[in-house]
Each structure stands twice: as C-alpha cells, then as structure tokens.
Amino acid sequence: MKEYEHLKLEKKWQNEWEKKRIYHAQNKSKKPKYYSLIEFPYPSGDGLHVGHPRPYIGMDVISRKRRLEGYNVLYPIGWDAFGLPTENFAIKTGKDPRIVTKKNSENFKRQIKSLGISFDWSREINTTDPKYYKWTQWIFLQFLKKGLAYKAKIAINWCPKDKIGLANEEVVGGNCERCGTPVEKREKEQWMLAITKYAERLDKDLDDVDYLPQIKLAQRNWIGKSEGAEIDFPVAHPRVKRFVILHGRSSRPGDNSYPWLKKELESRGYKVEVPEMPNSGEPNDLEQADFVKKHCQLDEGTVVVGHSMGGIVALRLLEQGAKVHGVVLVATPSTGLFLDKKPRPTVTQAAQRGFKYGEIKQNADYFRLLYDSGDTVVPASDGELFAKKLNSYCQFSTGEKPHFQGKEEPAILDLLLPHIKVFTTRPDTIFGATFLAIAPELAKKLTGKNFGIKVDTERENREKLGADTGLKAKNPATGQEIPVWVVNYVSADYGTGAIMGVPADDERDNEFAKKFNLPIVENYKKAGFEDFGKRITKFKLRDWVFSRQRYWGEPIPVILCEKCGIVPVPERDLPVELPKVKNYQPTDSGESPLANISKWVNTKCPKCKGTAKRETDTMPNWAGSSWYYLRYTDPKNAKAFADKKALKYWTPVDWYNGGNEHTTLHLLYSRFWHKFLYDLKLVPTPEPYKKRTSHGMILGEGGVKMSKSLGNVINPDEIVKTYGADTLRVYEMFMGPFNQSVAWSTESIIGARRFIEKVWRIGEKVASPNASAQDFLQSNVSHSQKHLGSNSSLPKLLNKTIKKVSEDIETMSFNTAISSLMILATEMEKAPSISKDDYKKFLQILSPFAPHIAEEVWASLAEKKSINLSVWPEWDEALVKDDEIKIAVQINGKVRAEIMIEIQDNEEKIKKQALGDPAVLRHVAGQEVRKIIYVKNRLINIVL
RNA sequence: GCCCGAGUGGCGGAACUGGUAUACGCGCACGACUUAAAAUCGUGUCUCGCAAGGGAUGUGGGUUCGAUUCCCACCUCGGGCACCA
C-alpha cells in the first residue's frame, strides 16, 4: 500500500493547478458567474496565524462547490497593505514600508498558497501599489468634484508625547496605545467625506440585501436613524425688558412702522417703544439721538433696533455712551449706513470698541449686527442663519409683516427673541416637559457664560450634573414658564444640543429632575405627533474623517494655492505618488512626515501656475478597501478603475464573508463608495454585496485571544508541515460553527488527520483491481450511522450524505457536513467493497474541504481530468428516503420504547403497534389512555 | 446602562419548524493485532442506582401531551455602542 505523503502530494497538485490555471476566472464565459469574496488581509510582519485562513477556507469550500456546479467563479485575493503596524515599524527601524510590505505580502502569499485555496492569483492587487491607489485618489477627486469631500475643523485625538494624531482605535481607555500618555483633543483641519448625505439610502437599501440579521442590525444601529420632531421653545431673556425701534428715513412720522414686530414683541411681554423722531435724517442724526434719549428709556434692559437711517441714530447713541443691552442694525448698501458699499466708519469703530460685529451677505443685501460684547442674545455667527431666513429686507422696511415661507418665523424675531430648538422622538410628551436641558456649548452661546459643566465621555460612574442657566423658556403646549438647565448628559453634536426634560416619562430626565428638585408632572395630556413641532429625521452617523497625518497612506491628491484655494490635482497627473522620506516620524506640529519634504510639498498651482503647496494629509486605511472588490474585476486596467463591461459582468459580489469587527465601518464605507459610484453611473448596481456573512475568530488554546505577547500564536506552517494542508482545512472547518469563535486545540487536529488517512486507505482499496471488480456490493451498516437513518445500505447512506453536505455548505454548516462525511467514510471502510463510482462521488463532495487528497485519489481511479472540472453529484431522492424507520414511544412525554414502522403505515396501525409493545403494556398497566399524539415519522406520545 | 451573540459530558461541539438530548471529533479506559511499541480496529465513556427507575442542556418560574428550542425574571462569558433625546 502506498503511503500518504501529504507534503509531496499537496505541493504536486498546487503546482499542477497553477500551471493549468484551473482557478482563473474568465471575464467572458458562457457559464453563469459567481463572485465570492473574502476580506483581503493586511500583510503583517508576524505572518499568518491559524485564524487567518478560516474565512479563506470557508469561502474556498463555497467557491469550489460552485465551480463543480458549473459556475464561472471569481475568488480573488490581494493585500490591504497601508496600515499602522508597518508605519510604526518604519518609524522604529527606518525601513522603507514599501520594502517591508513587499516582504510581508510575499510571506503571506507563500503561506496562503500552501493551503491550496483556490484563489485566482492572476488578479492579485495591493492597495499600496501606485497603479492601484491612482484610482483610490481618482475616486476621491470625484467626491471633491461633487462637493462630498470638504475640509472642516474638528477635534482629533492627540498624543502630546508622541506628538501625533491618533486614530480612535489607537486610543485605549483614553490613553495613547503606544506610550500610555493620556490623549488630548486638538482642533485640526481635516478632510471629511459627506457620508451623512447617503445615510437615508444606506439605511433603506439594507432591505434589498441578504445580510445576516445581526449584520443588518449593526449597520442600522450605526446609522442610527431616528424619527422625531423639532420643537421651538421661546426663551425670554433674563435681562432684556424693552425694545426701542428706530425707523428709517422713508418712514413718515406717525405711520408707526413695524406694527407686526411691535405686536409680536408685546405679546411676549416686552415693552416696545417706537419713537416718532423728527424725520430729517442725516445730517440730523445727532438731533434724532437727542430726541430718543429724551423720550425713551435706555438702560441695560433695552435693545435698540435700528433700521437704515435709524441705525445711524443707534450708533450715535452708542457713541454717546448709552448703556443699552444691545443694538441691532438692519441695513443695505444703499442706505446711509454705508458709503460706497462699505460700512461707515462708525460701524467699524463700534466694532473696534468691542462690540460683536458680523457681516452677512445675501444677494445684494447686507445685514450688520452689533451687540454688546458681554451678553449676546444671538451670536453674530448665527447671522448666516439670519440672512437665510430674512429673505427680503424690503418687506421689513415697509411696515408689513414680511412673508416667509412655511412655518418659519420672521427672522428678525429669531434674532431678537431667541428660542431653543429641541429634538425629541417623543413630541407627544410635550405636556410633561418641565424643563429644558441643553449642552454646555449651547449654554455658552446663549448666555455667554461658562457654567463649568462638561459632557464627559467616561464610561462608568456618570453622575448627572447640571446648573440653572437663569433662562426661562415657554412650553408651547402648556404656556408655562420652565427653567433651562445646562447638563452633562446632552451633547452638542447630536440633534439640536437641547432636549425637553420629561421626567415623568424619561429615565434620565427623571434622575436629573429628582436630583435637582425640578417639578415632575405625572399625568399629563398626550399631544399629537405634529401638534407643536416639525417632523424631522436624524441620524447618528457622522461624516467620515478622511485625513490622517501619517506617511503610510494614499496622499490626498489636492494642491493648496494661496490664490485659488483648494485645487484638485488634474486627473492626468495621478497618481500622486508617495515620496520616499528619510524620517517616518510625524512632525512636531502634528503634520504628516510628508510636510518635511519641501521638494515634494512645494509645487505649482495647476490653475494659476503660481507657487502652491501639496496637501500633506494621507487617506485612512479604510480608503483602499472601500472599492477593492471592483478592481478585482479588471485589476490591470490603466485607463479606468475597471472596465465597464467587466464591472457589469461581475458586480455585485454574490457572497462576501468577513470578520464581525468589520460589519459596521468597512461595510458601511464601501457601501457608501459604491453608491456614490453608482450615482456617477460608473457601477451597475446600487449595492456592492448581495450576501454577507461573518466568521468567528479562532482563539488560542484555552479560549484567549491569540497574541504575540501571550505567546500562543499558532503558525499554520507548522501544521501544514506536520499534518498537511488538507488536515488543517478539515480541522478548521470541523472545529465548531463557522460564525462563532472557537478555541484552537492542537491536540484535536489528529481527528481530522485520521479521517484523511481513512479516506486514503479506502482509496487504495477501491483502486486495487480485486476490489473494483465487485461493484455495487451492498453492505448493511449499523451503529455509527443510525442518526442518518436506520438499516440503510451504503448507496442510501451515500445519497443522504451528498444531500447533507450539499445543503450544509450553503448554510456554512461545515462542521456538520464533515461529520457526515466522517460517518460515510467509516461505513465505507467497513464495507466489504465499494463501487468506484460511489467512491468518486464521495471524493467530489469531499474535495471542497480536502482538495489535494481528493484530486490525488481521483487521479488514482484513472480519471484523466482534474476533479475540479467534474460535476457536483446529485442525490437520488428515492434513496434518501427510508422505507422503514424507528420511532419513539413516549408515555406522558417519557420515552419508554422504540418501534420499527413501515413508512407507508397509517396512524391507526402504528398506534396499535405502539400499544402492543411489551414495555408500553407494562407502563400502561390498566390505566386509562386519555390521548395519543402521533408525530409523523418521529414519535407517539401516550397520555395517561 | 443599551444592543447583539453564547451558556449542553473531562474538552470542541450536534439536535429539522416544539418531537428519541449528548451525533461527529478529541481525551480517557479496556480489548484485538504485535516479541514490544506506534499505527489501526473493536467495545465502553452525562450522572445516581445492583436493578427497576430517577435526575441533568447557566438559575428560577411559565406555556405545552411534550421545551436545549417559545415566554417572563435573573446569573455568567464574549463582542459592539455609549447619557443619542
């Protein structure tokens, strides 16, 4: 008998398959296509550990089955090679990440190849290859073109010791992952991608894909869609009591301008004065100011509203030292507040005196706001909003109430009478709202004061803190005045930064109200959803921070020109190649190391040809992996990221399996990129992946995570050498449910090896001439296969196994598929003889799991063509069914006997048979049978 | 705190849609073969009990003729999120 030499045999077939290009996918084929995908690995310096291959083997089983089923299968692999470990290694050793990456990926490749995974290596890609990242950059430019890539100042994690911006995953418990220094927040301009623009579709289109339910849920939770309402709570200012409205030159004395404004203000309890100034305008503004001083009360509770000429009067009052709370000027360039469309010196002078000053442009109209510096009602920065809302100053000046669309309040009221907008998913509880809780940032904005309250993100021990702002809001439902508190449990960056406190209904509000003795209204009236607010949809999803101040990433292809601003690198100049540097250390200022290469940084502006600088930020790791599956369809294309025909043929991916840790970010990001490309009509489908599953991690022995520091990392090289790739494959598929994490056990591998050797021995037996002469000798099998059906012949068992394996592979129940293959193998070995045809079928259904031995034995049975080119066996439904089966007889739910029945027996006959069984008779023993329940082909339950 | 997943022999795990719990594998014990060992094969292996029989699927309840499976409450472990309004 020939010895099973796994090393020799596996190498032989791997070479043979490669030579014959057996796993190469065809971009044109009469066969139906099948695209199976795994998450491409990050080639780390540590090499492969036994956890890596689990998903590759799983999808390999699927892919191999599909090939035998007649599909043109694309099962590609590549390297997601930009990443922190390589960068950190470069910083430490000064080694070029390019060289390190090449070495690491070659090692990974050798290791993966030794496992006999049926990857199409001709389509291998690498995200760090300029030919690849050219297209990553190109896609970025499309985002830029569509306004979906933009720069914004946001807080990043900053390690003050390493002087480096940290990704969220590098912050461990608030400290720098590497040096343990507490991480600070630092404001920095970052590139952002507007993924939130796609939030609605990313949520909704989940309906149309076949992802595991948990994965869909995780995506939905991350997107965080919530339907609610925005409700305005008018706020009375604690100090403003009175408005003095000074009208412009065109208003005749006595016509009492702004009647609507006066009315509105008065309805909120303010005093309003509209002095009928002598209307002689400039140069009589001083005279008018005197008039106002004489007739109106100007004190710290007064806001002066000056329109046009009235504005100049208001400025005079300021000049003369009027101690008013604030001044609001409303004017256009055509009025006297301006000279040659520039603000009058008085305006700028006032600003220089410390008044807040904001200029707002909207069409040709200008609005200028001035407030005293200490206590703004509405900050000047909100002027933009103001401008948007107040769509015509003219209407304001005519004394008519301006016409605003929808429910919008007249913007002048927005300005004079602030309100707090809250977001709530329960607008129906508004009658129970007894206070407003606002974020510290908003409190600062509204009152100018710092209350010393901070929203802390610490996970434990979060005590509710708060302080009364002194502001009073009016509950629009009850009309009641309610206090406004600044709290540490409302964050500024979600919703409106303000909530209504309904302590009777909301747990957090309740806790807060109790602590600070705020009123709790228990039995209140419920409101209709839209009675007081505007229906609105919010998402938790934030825009994607796309900048990294790192070396080892795709340079963001943008040039910063002093004259022209942000200028995209022309597409013909792509890729912007990552230059070589001497030092990989980030700069002291936190810029990427690229900032130090002046030769690279300094460039010409593509627009004006003047001097300009390159963007030195690079892209995050997620960039290259957001579209890699598209590149596989046409990996060498130099004219486009992939040919349209190839994309049309292969997309979407039919089945994508990956790690649970990637079911939120990576999956969401790549869906976002795909949808964007879909909108540009560059990909044919709105979704990239038809089906998504995930695999569990392989843990070290004892159930702990495999890690270098614990020294429990298992290198597959050792296993392949000692036991063979087929054994490793079978073991990894057998060790437990594919989607759950399992602990590695080197001790248990021997079981898989014994199984493989058994397959070998049977193969030897079948291949030997005297055995093959007795085709189809049936043998009775017993014991170990009783769970597949009683008293089956070998052909029966074979057909049952074909069915079971075929079905189990589809649900990734690889462990049970192998279990049934083991049972069949055991029975085949026991059988006096097995037909060659039957054994070949066994080899075919085994081949996805153990391709090498299957191919070797297949060839030994005089097959000329590779088993890979054969056709997946079908099972015979007639042979799968049993004629005679064993069912259980229960008495009061307890099994007391087993009886054999014919499959065609009717219920009556079976019941009679059960009641006649000696064990049953003993248990029934004269008692009355109340009920008999018969479950077809399963059991009979006799109820006494 | 919330969401998701899991809890079954000494161990990894199996069990269809509520229907014979512990398949398959590891380990262990005994036996066969062998001068011997390895390999292989066979038998046994949840637990109490001589047996009849009883008890076990994290814990406690419930629904049901029947629950690992469904419901309620709780405990433990793993993963994710975080005062999300």
Side-chain angles (χ1 to χ4, degrees):
Chain A
M1 189 165 121
K2 252 197 332 195
E3 207 188 321
Y4 170 59
E5 294 177 282
H6 61 263
L7 281 177
K8 228 161 121 185
L9 171 168
E10 288 175 350
K11 190 87 212 131
K12 177 177 94 184
W13 287 110
Q14 283 162 16
N15 291 340
E16 182 73 11
W17 294 330
E18 190 161 342
K19 209 173 80 196
K20 296 233 169 98
R21 302 182 178 195
I22 249 165
Y23 305 126
H24 285 204
Q26 305 303 319
N27 270 12
K28 268 185 199 154
S29 170
K30 277 184 196 138
K31 294 177 182 176
K33 69 101 180 176
Y34 200 86
Y35 189 172
S36 25
L37 186 68
I38 45 109
E39 285 167 350
F40 61 159
Y42 173 73
S44 77
D46 301 334
L48 220 58
H49 67 72
V50 288
H52 281 109
R54 195 183 194 195
Y56 312 160
I57 300 167
M59 284 314 289
D60 194 39
V61 171
I62 310 269
S63 302
R64 286 177 179 275
K65 177 167 183 259
R66 288 288 180 276
R67 283 195 198 91
L68 299 206
E69 286 169 337
Y71 288 90
N72 174 28
V73 174
L74 172 56
Y75 187 34
I77 186 167
W79 314 107
D80 188 14
F82 280 125
L84 281 174
T86 309
E87 170 138 6
N88 291 339
F89 187 73
I91 292 171
K92 229 162 82 187
T93 62
K95 284 198 178 132
D96 188 341
R98 268 163 282 250
I99 293 165
V100 175
T101 295
K102 184 157 184 282
K103 204 182 112 216
N104 291 351
S105 54
E106 272 168 7
N107 186 39
F108 260 64
K109 188 171 176 176
R110 175 192 61 77
Q111 291 188 294
I112 292 172
K113 279 194 165 182
S114 78
L115 302 174
I117 315 272
S118 65
F119 286 129
D120 178 351
W121 285 99
S122 73
R123 294 173 187 251
E124 180 182 352
I125 57 173
N126 188 325
T127 53
T128 65
D129 181 351
K131 290 194 203 98
Y132 179 91
Y133 69 67
K134 169 179 179 175
W135 297 106
T136 311
Q137 292 175 334
W138 184 84
I139 296 170
F140 176 85
L141 290 183
Q142 310 313 306
F143 277 114
L144 190 61
K145 223 187 259 175
K146 293 284 172 193
L148 294 175
Y150 64 96
K151 268 195 144 175
K153 211 170 206 167
I154 60 146
I156 59 162
N157 302 308
W158 175 260
C159 173
K161 182 162 171 275
D162 292 353
K163 291 185 177 146
I164 191 168
L166 300 174
N168 282 335
E169 52 269 29
E170 292 175 281
V171 182
V172 180
N175 298 324
C176 172
E177 186 189 45
R178 287 180 297 169
C179 66
T181 311
V183 167
E184 296 170 1
K185 290 276 173 189
R186 206 185 237 213
E187 294 257 307
K188 208 160 184 319
E189 280 243 306
Q190 304 276 314
W191 280 97
M192 309 282 287
L193 286 190
I195 189 171
T196 51
K197 290 250 160 65
Y198 281 74
E200 180 68 53
R201 283 162 69 193
L202 287 168
D203 183 86
K204 189 175 167 292
D205 289 358
L206 286 171
D207 290 341
D208 307 328
V209 290
D210 177 18
Y211 293 0
L212 289 181
Q214 318 88 277
I215 299 178
K216 273 194 196 184
L217 200 73
Q219 293 259 303
R220 289 220 152 95
N221 286 345
W222 190 265
I223 297 166
K225 181 174 176 170
S226 68
E227 310 262 2
E230 263 184 12
I231 305 176
D232 280 343
F233 282 72
V235 177
H237 196 281
R239 260 167 289 163
V240 175
K241 302 276 182 279
R242 186 178 305 99
F243 286 86
V244 173
I245 302 173
L246 308 178
H247 51 71
R249 197 184 329 212
S250 58
S251 304
R252 296 278 164 272
D255 76 355
N256 201 3
S257 299
Y258 322 112
W260 65 271
L261 180 59
K262 186 163 187 267
K263 219 174 103 196
E264 288 277 354
L265 292 170
E266 279 172 350
S267 79
R268 315 239 175 157
Y270 295 98
K271 245 186 128 184
V272 182
E273 293 174 69
V274 187
E276 294 188 12
M277 301 180 289
N279 181 31
S280 40
E282 209 179 9
N284 295 330
D285 45 317
L286 282 172
E287 191 186 318
Q288 290 184 321
D290 284 345
F291 181 87
V292 173
K293 270 197 281 186
K294 208 158 122 197
H295 289 89
C296 305
Q297 193 179 339
L298 299 173
D299 57 24
E300 282 174 354
T302 306
V303 169
V304 180
V305 182
H307 168 242
S308 191
M309 248 343 275
I312 294 174
V313 177
L315 287 169
R316 289 287 184 220
L317 291 171
L318 280 180
E319 277 170 15
Q320 292 165 12
K323 291 260 185 298
V324 293
H325 174 78
V327 174
V328 179
L329 307 185
V330 186
T332 71
S334 61
T335 64
L337 273 175
F338 296 86
L339 297 170
D340 296 329
K341 296 203 172 186
K342 283 201 176 133
R344 242 169 205 266
T346 35
V347 176
T348 28
Q349 274 162 21
Q352 278 160 7
R353 277 169 45 197
F355 281 82
K356 284 199 176 150
Y357 170 73
E359 182 175 321
I360 305 108
K361 290 180 191 170
Q362 194 206 16
N363 301 328
D365 298 343
Y366 288 73
F367 300 92
R368 293 177 185 281
L369 330 172
L370 288 178
Y371 281 102
D372 75 34
S373 52
D375 200 32
T376 49
V377 177
V378 167
S381 64
D382 270 8
E384 208 175 319
L385 185 82
F386 177 42
K388 269 185 204 153
K389 289 195 164 182
L390 185 53
N391 48 17
S392 166
Y393 105 92
C394 295
Q395 286 164 314
F396 177 67
S397 70
T398 56
E400 297 287 317
K401 183 167 177 170
H403 174 71
F404 293 94
Q405 287 176 342
K407 279 180 153 183
E408 306 251 343
E409 275 204 316
I412 187 74
L413 275 179
D414 256 17
L415 185 66
L416 299 178
L417 300 174
H419 46 237
I420 294 172
K421 237 189 223 335
V422 305
F423 175 64
T424 176
T425 52
R426 295 289 309 277
D428 56 308
T429 64
I430 189 165
F431 281 94
T434 55
F435 65 97
L436 293 189
I438 63 175
E441 291 90 330
L442 186 61
K444 175 98 203 270
K445 240 181 180 180
L446 288 173
T447 64
K449 277 190 238 160
N450 233 326
F451 293 91
I453 300 289
K454 239 170 65 190
V455 173
D456 61 292
T457 46
E458 279 302 312
R459 303 212 160 183
E460 286 107 43
N461 239 347
R462 268 181 292 190
E463 207 197 344
K464 292 210 169 15
L465 300 173
D468 193 343
T469 60
L471 296 169
K472 295 277 181 248
K474 197 169 107 181
N475 183 328
T478 62
Q480 217 123 49
E481 255 202 0
I482 58 175
V484 178
W485 283 64
V486 50
V487 304
N488 69 339
Y489 69 94
V490 170
S491 53
D493 54 0
Y494 184 76
T496 56
I499 62 169
M500 58 185 199
V502 186
D505 237 299
D506 185 283
E507 221 178 288
R508 286 163 314 160
D509 296 342
N510 189 275
E511 190 190 329
F512 188 79
K514 275 190 184 147
K515 182 164 174 187
F516 292 99
N517 284 324
L518 292 162
I520 300 171
V521 181
E522 288 289 353
N523 294 312
Y524 56 84
K525 195 170 109 196
K526 295 274 178 193
F529 201 88
E530 283 170 57
D531 286 357
F532 296 96
K534 184 172 83 185
R535 196 177 270 266
I536 199 169
T537 305
K538 288 263 180 215
F539 296 91
K540 278 186 223 169
L541 187 69
R542 302 292 145 81
D543 275 350
W544 176 4
V545 182
F546 202 68
S547 280
R548 298 292 122 97
Q549 290 72 48
R550 297 288 189 160
Y551 173 74
W552 194 226
E554 302 90 342
I556 290 178
V558 156
I559 289 165
L560 308 168
C561 169
E562 267 185 32
K563 258 191 244 152
C564 314
I566 291 167
V567 183
V569 170
E571 286 178 15
R572 60 170 188 281
D573 293 342
L574 294 182
V576 176
E577 279 207 41
L578 200 53
K580 302 213 171 184
V581 292
K582 283 205 187 81
N583 187 359
Y584 299 96
Q585 199 77 41
T587 62
D588 286 350
S589 59
E591 303 295 318
S592 104
L594 296 177
N596 284 338
I597 317 170
S598 50
K599 226 169 90 188
W600 183 81
V601 171
N602 293 311
T603 184
K604 271 188 191 146
C605 169
K607 240 191 209 161
C608 70
K609 309 290 174 212
T611 56
K613 282 184 191 303
R614 283 187 192 281
E615 171 63 62
T616 59
D617 280 1
T618 53
M619 299 187 199
N621 285 120
W622 308 103
S625 60
S626 290
W627 71 282
Y628 73 110
Y629 58 94
L630 296 171
R631 187 67 175 169
Y632 283 138
T633 66
D634 190 14
K636 303 207 166 66
N637 198 322
K639 293 198 186 103
F641 65 85
D643 180 72
K644 281 223 166 139
K645 269 190 211 146
L647 287 168
K648 182 133 211 268
Y649 181 69
W650 288 113
T651 37
V653 171
D654 291 282
W655 193 334
Y656 187 21
N657 183 79
N660 268 319
E661 68 277 21
H662 292 137
T663 49
T664 44
L665 293 184
H666 160 65
L667 209 56
L668 203 65
Y669 290 156
S670 61
R671 290 181 61 224
F672 163 48
W673 277 44
H674 193 92
K675 284 187 182 304
F676 172 67
L677 294 173
Y678 175 70
D679 289 349
L680 298 182
K681 301 199 166 35
L682 297 172
V683 295
T685 58
E687 282 287 332
Y689 318 115
K690 235 191 221 167
K691 175 172 178 152
R692 165 82 188 199
T693 50
S694 36
H695 59 269
M697 256 197 302
I698 292 188
L699 305 167
E701 308 226 19
V704 286
K705 221 173 182 158
M706 257 190 223
S707 78
K708 227 161 75 177
S709 55
L710 284 169
N712 61 351
V713 177
I714 310 278
N715 186 334
D717 288 354
E718 299 299 317
I719 309 294
V720 169
K721 205 171 130 200
T722 316
Y723 298 95
D726 283 340
T727 298
L728 176 66
R729 294 172 59 112
V730 167
Y731 175 63
E732 290 215 359
M733 292 298 98
F734 181 64
M735 53 196 304
F738 188 68
N739 60 2
Q740 272 170 43
S741 44
V742 244
W744 178 264
S745 163
T746 300
E747 193 183 61
S748 300
I749 299 174
I750 191 67
R753 169 73 186 201
R754 284 178 191 150
F755 166 64
I756 293 289
E757 283 176 2
K758 189 176 285 185
V759 171
W760 181 259
R761 285 196 305 272
I762 306 167
E764 290 285 292
K765 195 166 106 185
V766 174
S768 76
N770 47 352
S772 58
Q774 322 174 16
D775 277 5
F776 268 102
L777 189 105
Q778 299 197 349
S779 72
N780 281 327
V781 286
S782 57
H783 185 71
S784 66
Q785 53 105 340
K786 65 185 173 191
H787 287 267
L788 278 157
S790 47
N791 87 350
S792 282
S793 62
L794 200 50
K796 262 181 178 296
L797 182 60
L798 173 67
N799 276 274
K800 283 180 190 176
T801 308
I802 294 172
K803 180 171 195 241
K804 173 117 182 96
V805 171
S806 302
E807 289 169 353
D808 279 359
I809 288 177
E810 295 308 314
T811 54
M812 297 191 136
S813 309
F814 304 123
N815 53 340
T816 50
I818 289 172
S819 153
S820 65
L821 285 167
M822 284 172 167
I823 292 169
L824 177 59
T826 303
E827 292 309 321
M828 285 191 302
E829 192 173 37
K830 270 196 254 172
S833 150
I834 312 122
S835 86
K836 211 192 239 186
D837 281 351
D838 280 358
Y839 199 58
K840 284 199 315 210
K841 283 183 186 166
F842 169 78
L843 291 174
Q844 286 175 310
I845 57 173
L846 171 74
S847 70
F849 300 96
H852 308 88
I853 190 171
E855 185 82 291
E856 175 74 16
V857 178
W858 180 263
S860 77
L861 299 178
E863 282 290 335
K864 294 259 153 45
K865 272 194 185 162
S866 165
I867 194 167
N868 287 287
L869 304 172
S870 68
V871 177
W872 189 258
E874 281 175 19
W875 65 89
D876 183 343
E877 212 44 77
L879 283 170
V880 167
K881 280 195 190 119
D882 287 308
D883 314 323
E884 226 196 352
I885 51 170
K886 190 169 67 186
I887 65 164
V889 184
Q890 293 182 335
I891 291 166
N892 288 340
K894 289 207 153 66
V895 180
R896 298 299 181 185
E898 287 176 338
I899 54 171
M900 294 302 296
I901 60 156
E902 304 272 316
I903 201 95
Q904 73 272 15
D905 286 351
N906 64 24
E907 201 172 323
E908 272 315 297
K909 193 180 165 198
I910 293 163
K911 281 182 183 170
K912 215 179 255 171
Q913 193 187 338
L915 286 170
D917 185 275
V920 174
L921 285 173
R922 201 170 66 234
H923 277 96
V924 173
Q927 295 179 71
E928 189 199 345
V929 174
R930 292 203 309 199
K931 202 154 90 178
I932 300 179
I933 293 148
Y934 173 59
V935 183
K936 201 166 183 277
N937 298 344
R938 296 259 175 220
L939 55 69
I940 276 198
N941 190 11
I942 299 164
V943 185
L944 298 177

